[in-house]
Amino acid sequence: MLMIIKERLLQLVIVLFFLSLFTFTLMKLAPGDPVFSILRADEVAATSADEDALRKELGLDQPIYVQYAQWMYSIIKFDFGNSLINGKPVWQDIIERLPATLELAAGSLLIMLVISIPLGLLAAKYKGRCIDHISSILALLGASIPAFWLGLMLIYGFSYKLGWLPTMGMGSTAHLVLPSITLGFGLAAIYARMLRAGLLEVLAQEYIRTARARGVGEWRIMYKHALRAALIPVMTVFGSSAGSILAGSVIIETLFSWPGLGAMAIEAIFKRDYPVIQAYVMISGSMIVMVNLLIDLSYTWIDPRVRYVKGRMT
């Protein structure tokens, strides 16, 4: 267990290094100049001397490699600098907006679990029947429908037509319903089919046949014996879906005016606020690696037969 934690932490360092290099390079290649954005936001008639002075103050007159080294040194000290637009520390913006993004992610995961686990169990239990065909149709729809289109349809139906749910901002639990469904539905449909496939594979094994021969009930077999083993491949794929949740939250937060990290990133992109964009990418990369680490560590809890030998799962 300690070996795999060490390996994942080493991967985190390597991933963040290349991610920082890639992000910093893209920011420098992106069109636009943050100096112009700042001076334009101040609504003053800036001269070339003002531009040079501000560029020197921000360190943008230094060579690229010097800027990168200074930025990396600040990151090591957990200092992402200040926003180029409002002058606030980037960490302050992240801390203010992170709870909203985590709340949206938790809501979408809850929707995914509520839909995918019962649907996957029923589809495996009644293979080839009506519920199985419904699961297939939902999986096809979930993989095909763009999240922003689903969000617009939900807004039109449940807010504009019926007036049941709010669509903008963050406040009560009702504000969380539509964004969570929009982000969680696609994942739920896909994971329901994955869970079905895993259950069918587990149900064909010898120890399941032995349990049936001993008179154990079918639903008891499904919940107590088959479900845990079938969750292993589902959890493995879920680790790679953590990035999809974060990427999807950017669209959903913009669509529903949800004040999270995704909305902050979009605003920063339009305003060329490079420190905020770089901080968002680094935080997102760290979260994805840490989610995968937690999933690796959860294997032994899900299935006691799983063991780690020299940092590898057996």
Side-chain angles (χ1 to χ4, degrees), residues 81-118:
N82 297 330
S83 169
L84 299 180
I85 303 303
N86 57 32
K88 293 172 56 179
V90 176
W91 260 122
Q92 183 177 340
D93 282 338
I94 291 175
I95 292 174
E96 289 175 357
R97 292 176 176 261
L98 181 59
T101 296
L102 294 178
E103 183 178 344
L104 178 58
S108 63
L109 289 178
L110 179 62
I111 294 295
M112 184 194 75
L113 293 174
V114 168
I115 296 176
S116 62
I117 292 181

Side-chain angles (χ1 to χ4, degrees), residues 111-112 115-117 119-120 123 134-145 183-198 233-234 237-238 240-241 244:
I111 294 295
M112 184 194 75
I115 296 176
S116 62
I117 292 181
L119 193 59
I134 292 175
S135 176
S136 299
I137 294 172
L138 287 177
L140 179 62
L141 292 175
S144 304
I145 296 177
L183 190 56
F185 174 75
L187 293 174
I190 296 172
Y191 280 106
R193 297 304 292 178
M194 290 183 58
L195 181 59
R196 170 192 178 274
V234 175
V237 177
F238 175 74
S240 62
S241 297
S244 301

Side-chain angles (χ1 to χ4, degrees), residues 277-299:
I277 300 172
Q278 292 166 337
Y280 173 78
V281 174
M282 298 296 289
I283 294 295
S284 300
S286 301
M287 292 174 64
I288 292 172
V289 175
M290 295 306 296
V291 166
N292 280 274
L293 172 60
L294 294 176
I295 289 174
D296 287 343
L297 297 179
S298 70
Y299 287 151

Side-chain angles (χ1 to χ4, degrees), residues 15-28 58-60 62-82 84 90-91 94 273-283:
V15 167
L16 291 182
F17 170 73
F18 284 103
L19 191 61
S20 66
L21 187 61
F22 180 72
T23 305
F24 187 84
T25 303
L26 283 183
M27 291 300 98
K28 294 304 177 183
L58 298 175
L60 299 177
Q62 300 289 334
I64 297 296
Y65 63 87
V66 175
Q67 295 182 41
Y68 176 75
Q70 292 175 345
W71 180 59
M72 283 298 296
Y73 180 69
S74 299
I75 288 179
I76 293 173
K77 298 188 299 181
F78 296 98
D79 179 14
F80 288 100
N82 297 330
L84 299 180
V90 176
W91 260 122
I94 291 175
D273 198 346
Y274 295 158
V276 175
I277 300 172
Q278 292 166 337
Y280 173 78
V281 174
M282 298 296 289
I283 294 295

